[in-house]
Structure formats: C-alpha cells, structure tokens
Amino acid sequence: MPEVKLDEAAALEELTRLADELAAHDIRYFQDAAPTISDADYDALKRRNAEIEARFPHLVRDNSPSLRVGARRSESFAPVTHGVPMLSLDNAFSDADAAEFDARVRRFLRLGEETVAYTAEPKIDGLSASLRYEDGVLVQGATRGDGRVGEDVTANLRTIGEIPHRLKGKGWPAVIEVRGEVYLGHEEFARLNAAAAEAGDRTYANPRNAAAGSLRQIDPAITATRPLRFFAYAWGLASQPFAATQWEALQAFRSWGFAVTPNAQRVEGASGLLEAYAAMEAARPRLAFDIDGVVYKVDRLDWQERLGFVSRSPRWAVARKFPAERARTILEAIDIQVGRTGAVTPVARLTPVTVGGVVVVNATLHNADEIARKDVRIGDTVVVQRAGDVIPQIVEVVLDERPADSQPFVFPTHCPCSLHTLLARETTTAGVETVVRRCTGEFACPFQRIEHLKHFVSRRAFDIEGLGEKQLTAFFEEGLIREPADIFRLARNDAAMAALRERERYGETSVRNLRAAIEARRTIALDRFIFALGIRHVGETTALVLARGYGDAESFLAAMDKVADRDPEAMAELDALDQVGGAVIEAAAAYFGEDHNRRIVQDLKGQLLIQPAERPKTDTAVAGKTVVFTGSLERMTREEAKAKAESLGAKVASSVSKKTDIVVAGPGAGSKLKTAAELGLQVLTEEEWLALIA
Ligand code: IVH
C-alpha cells in the first residue's frame, strides 16, 4: 500500500512489523553473518520504514530502525587497504558467452589465427581473502571488503591449517599478497550445523554463510574451532614476477605450501573452454565443497597485462556460472518504489521460499513492460530464480495454478509521491522511449529529493555520522535541510542548533556530535564529492576516474559546465578518460545542463574545502602529458595503448590541439599528424613511444 493511503493504525502496524523484521535481519547479518535477503532488499525495507515515518513523525519509535545509522558496517575489524584492489569477475552464462569471451580476448590482442590457452578453475563458493607475506612470513590477512579496503582478520586466518604462516620452498617475492577462497566443505558444514542444532544454537543456511560467519568471529578461538579451508588461486601485489603463466603461478602456490583448486585444467581455445565447463559440471556432484561455476583465465601473464581491466573486472578472466537455482512461491503483492533519479521500480512481495539455501521474500519485476510481458498477477504462483548475489528474479508464471478470479496488474499511472505526477516513460537523448518509468517531479518530488540527500550523506559519499535517514527526513520535513549545502549551513547556524537542542529526543550530546560530524566532512576528497552529487552512471569508480582526470574541483566543474554546453573539446577530454563512455558524458551534460543542479553544486562547494585528487603517477616520463595516438599501431591496439598511457599518468586525447604534448603516429596517420606538424608538437613512432615508457 503506498503510504499516502495508509491510515494511522495501518502505519503503526506496518512500522511495528518493519522494526521486527529489520531487527531480525540485523541479527542475521551481524551476529550470524548469514543474511537471508540482499542488501538492496534490506535497503528497500529501511526506505519503506523511513517513508512511513516521514508521513507519521509522531509514530517514530524510540528504537526505530532508522536510528541505527550505518549499522551494517562492521566496526569490529580494522580496515586494511589492499596493495592492489581485489576485483570481481564478469559473468558468462552460456556456451555462446564463453565463446564470445575467447573472441573478445583474441580481438583485443589482435591474434589472428593463434589460439589462446586458458586455465579453467572451479569457482569456489566461499569468501575471498588476501594474505600478505613479507620475506615469506604471513604478516596480514584481510577480507575482500569493498575490493579496495577489507577487514583485518589476520588472527582468524592464522587459525586455518591450510594457510602457511611461513612460505615453503623458494622463488616467492619478498612481498606478495596471495589470494584465494576461504570455504567450508560439505561434511564439515553438516557437522557444524548438527552440533549447533544439538546445542540449541542457530544453524547456517549454507556453507558459504557458515564460512563467512566463522571467519568474522571477534574471538579467533571460535574461528579455530571451525574447520575452515583455503584454496590459493590469485595474487595482488607482488614485488617481483614469479611466474609467466597462471598455470605456473598455481604450481608456485602449491610449492610454497598452499592447497590449490583440484580439477583445474589448462585448455586451448573456445572449444577447450566449453569442454572444461562440461567436465566441471560432471565433477560437481562428487566434489567435497560447493562450487558455483568455472573461472576462465587467460594463461599467459604478459597477455593478462595487455588485456588489463574494465572498471572492476579483468578483461582476461570471466566466471562461467552454473544455471541459477529456482523455486515456486506465491506473489502476494506488487509494490512501487521511487529511486533517487525518479525511476520507478516494481517489487514483488513473495511468500517466503528457500532458493538455493537462502530465504527469498522479494524479487525484482524490473519495470512495467516486464510485468505486462510476463502477465504477472497478484495471487499467481511464480517461479523465482536466484543466481549468486544477484537480486532474485521472477522467471515465469505457473499458469495452471492461476486463481480463477485473477486480474491483470494495472501499473500505477501516477507517482506514489505527494505530487502524484504522471509517470512518464523515459526517453533517451535520441528520443527513443525506454522501459523505465520516471516521476518527473525531480526536485519537487519529495522521494527523489530525500533519496538524493540520503545518497549524499551515505557511507560512500559524505558519510555523515548521526545524519541518518530518520534525522534527514525529519530535518527535510521541517525545512531545515532541503539540499546538500543546508547541511553545512545548519552546523554553523547557532539558532537552529539551539532549537534542535530544545527538541525532545535530541539532547545536548546529539547536537554536539552532529555538529562535529558535519564539520569533520567539510573537508572532503574530490572523488567523494563527485560521487555524492548523484550524477547518473557516476558510481564510485567513475567518480575516482573523474577526480584523477581533472585533479581539482575548479577544473572539474569548469569542464562540466563546458560539457553541458556541448563544447566539443571538453566532451573529447571527458571521453578520453579511461572507463568513461557515452552514458557518463550524456549524464554529465544533462546534470550540469540543469541550472538548478549548477546552483546546488556551486552553493555546496562554497561550504566545503575540496581536496584535490591524488594523481596516479607523477614519476614516469609521460606523467601529466597529453598524448594522442593516430594511424595504425602494430604492437598494441588503440585501446591497450590508451590504457597503458593512462596507467602511467598520461592523459589520452582524441584530437590534436595546442594542449597536446606527444603525438604517437603509426602508418597511415593523416590530418592529425599534419596538425601536429603545424603546431610543432613532438611526434613519436610507436617504437619510440615504447622506448619512452619502458
Ligand atoms: S580469480 C581478478 N579464481 O569469485 C579476479 N576467483 O567474482 C580474481 N572465486 O571474489 C579472482 N573461485 O571470491 C578466482 N578459482 C577462482 C575463484 C574465484 C572463486 C571468487 C572470488 C572472487 C569472485 C569473483
């Protein structure tokens, strides 16, 4: 029920239910490390709670879930910044996807007829860990965390018998981060659960949750009682090369005293990939531990290096997943959620059902067209599928089970927000209608405004402690905070702070803490600032790329104003940044094309001290230089050349101008080479360029 229609009694009832539900989920997440819903669904419950609280502020409970700010972060382990980020893998789901992976690798490397050798390793269903060895001694062990920063669980990892405290053999680099999977075998899992059940303790849903829960125990003595195991399959930082291929690396790990994944194979070409998958699927039932697919990796490390990364995953590896697990349940209701950008998402509320060991209560229905296409109706029996950490999905309706009186679902025509705006279909810049429906209320739609503000203060953005959803919503309703800059004005507004102090449940200490928390964020890193703005398609990774690309807030904002005016040079400069493509450019142009947004951003900037970005490399021959590649390159592809130059701190532009420092020209170079000559720029051959960066 949209909360505009809720009466007070129903609101109270739902808030009570939400509080219980969220508290239970918190226990499962923190104490048991065995969450039964996805983070997105958890967030949706919290959002629902906040929305109802916003309408009925006097019903906010003293122990409301909205008061537990940032509760999902573990505070028990110290943060560890990985020497090299721990990446994730792209997924492949079919033979065709696997073949396309091979084709893409060959295209990128321009291999022609040559075949590519791969390793095909089981994808272990546990949790990854990074072990830092210095001079062969284990000095630190960490969880993956967000990939960049993990949790220090050294003491717990030391209790795992298969993790050497001191590397054996020889040939290990002086400093190396060995990476792999912490997991629990089937038998060990069954024994652990049986003992827990006997003792009247709670049991774990699956071996992965049990492994995660066991590793993240505050007391290592408890971890020591859990029969955790470890397979080594990758590495991060390595002070020296120690292998020429992935296969050799696995053998090296074994010689240093690690267990490596059994059933790993070295195969050739696309056909080898398909055979390895079939073999792994056949072997799966006899394995003593859970696997959820096969990981394919390009064997040659020099090729891996050339292939590099896109966003958070390597181009040289892919995870081929086993088909998702499915179950039947009843669709009880369809709720509509409004996100930060006004996009409206229908969410299916389900009779709880276990799919692949996890209880599922919500599933995404994607959009109105999807509901219409599948003719999903309330009361239907549906097939739900869950693959890995992906949000559960509704695959199909079981028509035989459809109640006789069922009615097609009528998608709301108006936003559940107080404006009741007509829900328009989004159109692309080319004028094509998309499936996304959006509330066009923008900053007048309280849902969107509040979602924007929530994003702004969220952990990965400004991370303002004490300014959680509840406070933000309350301050919003009272008109104290309508946009980001207001937060910083509030902290310096003595009258407003005094008024806050007078308020029930907002005592002296809370006010002091809030003020300190806000002041602490007045100085902010440029990438966080950019991420916090909530530009579509600009997540943390892209924000960091933008911050590094432009260096400081002034340059970034000046460039964005030009992008909004569709200045070709500014757009080319943005396009030249690694990982920035058309979607980001369009989103930036749209965002900074809005006077409203420009004003909000400038106003905010006036309140802050924005720290310039750390430039990636300054000690290379090409750091800070603007480079243009033209003509055909023989030893590398254009994409590779660009990635390499950027990794050395150079900027790669697509057109030659006065600002260009180096033009690398291959055979067939035309007008750009001419312009370079006219401007008297430094022109290098491919060989000379390679010598320069060697
Ligand atoms: S390689 C750069 N190999 O899968 C990629 N990962 O989605 C490094 N995983 O976080 C990972 N078995 O937890 C690799 N044989 C294997 C793996 C494996 C399981 C997990 C790992 C990683 C996730 C990637």
Side-chain angles (χ1 to χ4, degrees):
M1 194 187 294
E3 79 279 7
V4 270
K5 295 206 200 102
L6 277 181
D7 64 20
E8 193 168 322
L12 185 60
E13 197 187 303
E14 190 167 350
L15 285 175
T16 311
R17 185 178 60 75
L18 283 166
D20 289 347
E21 220 175 304
L22 283 160
H25 285 309
D26 279 349
I27 291 175
R28 283 183 211 126
Y29 187 93
F30 290 112
Q31 295 173 18
D32 309 338
T36 52
I37 58 171
S38 71
D39 283 0
D41 287 339
Y42 176 89
D43 290 341
L45 288 178
K46 281 197 90 161
R47 213 176 309 133
R48 174 76 180 162
N49 184 74
E51 281 161 12
I52 301 173
E53 287 185 350
R55 280 202 68 78
F56 301 98
H58 60 288
L59 293 185
V60 176
R61 312 154 65 88
D62 274 344
N63 61 351
S64 162
S66 54
L67 293 167
R68 292 196 297 271
V69 182
R72 293 209 119 192
R73 178 165 22 164
S74 158
E75 300 292 354
S76 353
F77 300 103
V80 174
T81 303
H82 301 298
V84 166
M86 292 181 78
L87 301 151
S88 46
L89 294 174
D90 263 352
N91 290 327
F93 293 101
S94 62
D95 281 356
D97 288 353
E100 174 51 27
F101 168 62
D102 176 61
R104 201 168 60 220
V105 166
R106 304 163 52 77
R107 264 199 310 275
F108 192 93
L109 297 172
R110 289 208 182 149
L111 287 184
E113 293 303 302
E114 201 171 345
T115 50
V116 178
Y118 298 95
T119 62
E121 307 167 27
K123 186 168 189 300
I124 315 297
D125 201 7
L127 72 153
S128 51
S130 186
L131 309 167
R132 188 181 171 98
Y133 289 85
E134 292 179 7
D135 296 320
V137 178
L138 175 63
V139 293
Q140 190 170 59
T143 61
R144 177 173 186 276
D146 63 7
R148 204 176 58 81
V149 181
E151 294 167 318
D152 186 336
V153 287
T154 314
N156 295 356
L157 285 166
R158 280 189 209 281
T159 68
I160 300 178
E162 281 177 318
I163 294 182
H165 291 195
R166 187 177 275 281
L167 297 180
K168 288 203 261 186
K170 50 186 181 340
W172 28 262
V175 180
I176 181 161
E177 291 172 340
V178 174
R179 291 176 177 172
E181 204 83 353
V182 174
Y183 70 100
L184 205 56
H186 291 144
E187 246 175 62
E188 292 89 344
F189 170 67
R191 247 186 287 129
L192 182 65
N193 260 1
E198 183 124 328
D201 292 340
R202 58 163 312 286
T203 54
Y204 287 105
N206 54 44
R208 174 158 48 98
N209 288 347
S214 302
L215 186 62
R216 296 179 72 262
Q217 290 289 329
I218 308 296
D219 180 0
I222 297 181
T223 309
T225 66
R226 307 284 171 90
L228 292 173
R229 308 189 58 179
F230 182 80
F231 280 131
Y233 52 63
W235 64 99
L237 190 78
S239 57
Q240 291 121 37
F242 60 95
T245 62
Q246 168 71 14
W247 192 252
E248 277 177 32
L250 292 176
Q251 312 316 317
F253 291 154
R254 199 205 304 270
S255 74
W256 301 344
F258 289 100
V260 296
T261 51
N263 297 66
Q265 287 192 59
R266 188 175 172 283
V267 300
E268 303 240 327
S271 59
L273 296 179
L274 306 192
E275 282 159 23
Y277 175 79
M280 206 72 80
E281 217 176 14
R284 187 184 191 189
R286 292 189 306 279
L287 291 177
F289 45 87
D290 273 357
I291 65 174
D292 58 347
V294 180
V295 182
Y296 299 138
K297 302 175 188 170
V298 170
D299 196 32
R300 274 176 61 167
L301 301 185
D302 57 337
W303 282 355
Q304 286 192 4
E305 174 133 354
R306 277 176 62 191
L307 285 155
F309 303 87
V310 204
S311 188
R312 285 165 186 252
S313 352
R315 270 196 209 89
W316 46 264
V318 76
R320 170 87 192 266
K321 294 292 205 57
F322 292 133
E325 302 194 53
R326 298 180 168 188
R328 281 185 179 197
T329 187
I330 309 284
L331 174 67
E332 293 181 350
I334 298 177
D335 285 349
I336 306 296
Q337 286 173 357
V338 185
R340 170 157 58 90
T341 60
V344 166
T345 321
V347 177
R349 307 292 180 201
L350 308 167
T351 304
V353 64
T354 307
V355 191
V358 168
V359 180
V360 170
V361 287
N362 299 320
T364 176
L365 282 163
H366 302 289
N367 53 59
D369 291 24
E370 181 82 0
I371 297 179
R373 193 173 63 73
K374 290 186 179 149
D375 186 21
V376 179
R377 303 180 183 188
I378 293 166
D380 271 345
T381 296
V382 291
V383 176
V384 188
Q385 141 175 327
R386 186 187 150 264
D389 295 329
V390 182
I391 302 171
Q393 301 183 328
I394 290 184
V395 192
E396 60 185 13
V397 174
V398 184
L399 287 176
D400 292 348
E401 309 266 329
R402 172 165 281 172
D405 58 349
S406 89
Q407 298 291 322
F409 180 71
V410 181
F411 202 85
T413 49
H414 291 77
C415 180
C417 78
S418 55
L419 295 175
H420 280 287
T421 52
L422 197 60
L423 290 177
R425 267 173 184 278
E426 189 186 33
T427 47
T428 64
T429 42
V432 180
E433 277 199 344
T434 71
V435 291
V436 180
R437 275 162 217 249
R438 221 170 264 285
C439 168
T440 49
E442 303 239 337
F443 283 90
C445 167
F447 283 136
Q448 293 181 56
R449 269 197 112 125
I450 207 104
E451 289 301 318
H452 255 286
L453 285 166
K454 280 185 208 161
H455 169 76
F456 184 84
V457 299
S458 66
R459 176 153 78 83
R460 294 186 170 143
F462 270 70
D463 192 19
I464 298 175
E465 197 124 343
L467 198 56
E469 293 188 13
K470 190 208 150 202
Q471 283 79 4
L472 204 56
T473 310
F475 292 166
F476 181 79
E477 304 256 300
E478 288 163 33
L480 279 174
I481 295 177
R482 306 296 295 185
E483 52 189 65
D486 293 338
I487 296 171
F488 295 93
R489 275 192 283 269
L490 180 67
R492 295 209 171 149
N493 180 340
D494 291 331
M497 287 314 243
L500 270 187
R501 212 166 12 236
E502 296 309 307
R503 271 191 8 188
E504 219 191 330
R505 274 192 270 121
Y506 219 87
E508 182 77 44
T509 327
S510 309
V511 171
R512 198 171 339 108
N513 290 348
L514 177 63
R515 185 173 237 170
I518 296 173
E519 288 302 334
R521 292 292 182 266
R522 215 178 266 282
T523 303
I524 192 92
L526 179 58
D527 61 310
R528 275 188 185 248
F529 170 79
I530 295 174
F531 174 65
L533 297 181
I535 305 165
R536 289 183 67 199
H537 303 297
V538 179
E540 280 171 289
T541 313
T542 308
L544 190 60
V545 169
L546 293 172
R548 287 188 174 157
Y550 291 98
D552 57 57
E554 284 69 29
S555 314
F556 169 71
L557 293 175
M560 291 306 111
D561 282 351
K562 286 193 194 150
V563 167
D565 295 338
R566 306 211 158 257
D567 172 281
E569 203 167 314
M571 290 177 93
E573 188 184 18
L574 180 56
D575 200 13
L577 293 179
D578 196 18
Q579 299 161 29
V580 171
V584 173
I585 299 173
E586 283 310 324
Y591 188 97
F592 290 96
E594 285 281 341
D595 289 342
H596 176 88
N597 289 345
R598 286 200 209 202
R599 185 191 58 69
I600 282 190
V601 173
Q602 285 301 338
D603 191 21
L604 171 65
K605 182 168 161 282
Q607 294 290 328
L608 303 174
L609 187 71
I610 306 171
Q611 293 168 318
E614 267 177 46
R615 294 262 181 173
K617 294 248 165 115
T618 52
D619 54 352
T620 71
V622 297
K625 301 254 165 84
T626 301
V627 184
V628 173
F629 292 97
T630 180
S632 59
L633 302 173
E634 322 244 280
R635 304 245 320 254
M636 51 195 172
T637 63
R638 199 57 82 72
E639 210 175 332
E640 254 183 89
K642 180 173 174 218
K644 182 74 192 169
E646 276 166 0
S647 74
L648 295 171
K651 257 195 220 175
V652 178
S654 51
S655 61
V656 175
S657 74
K658 287 196 297 281
K659 290 189 197 144
T660 310
D661 296 297
I662 303 173
V663 175
V664 181
S671 64
K672 286 181 196 169
L673 184 56
K674 208 168 134 235
T675 317
E678 282 162 14
L679 293 170
L681 304 174
Q682 184 183 11
V683 178
L684 300 180
T685 63
E686 185 178 0
E687 292 304 319
E688 287 167 338
W689 164 257
L690 289 173
L692 178 67
I693 62 174

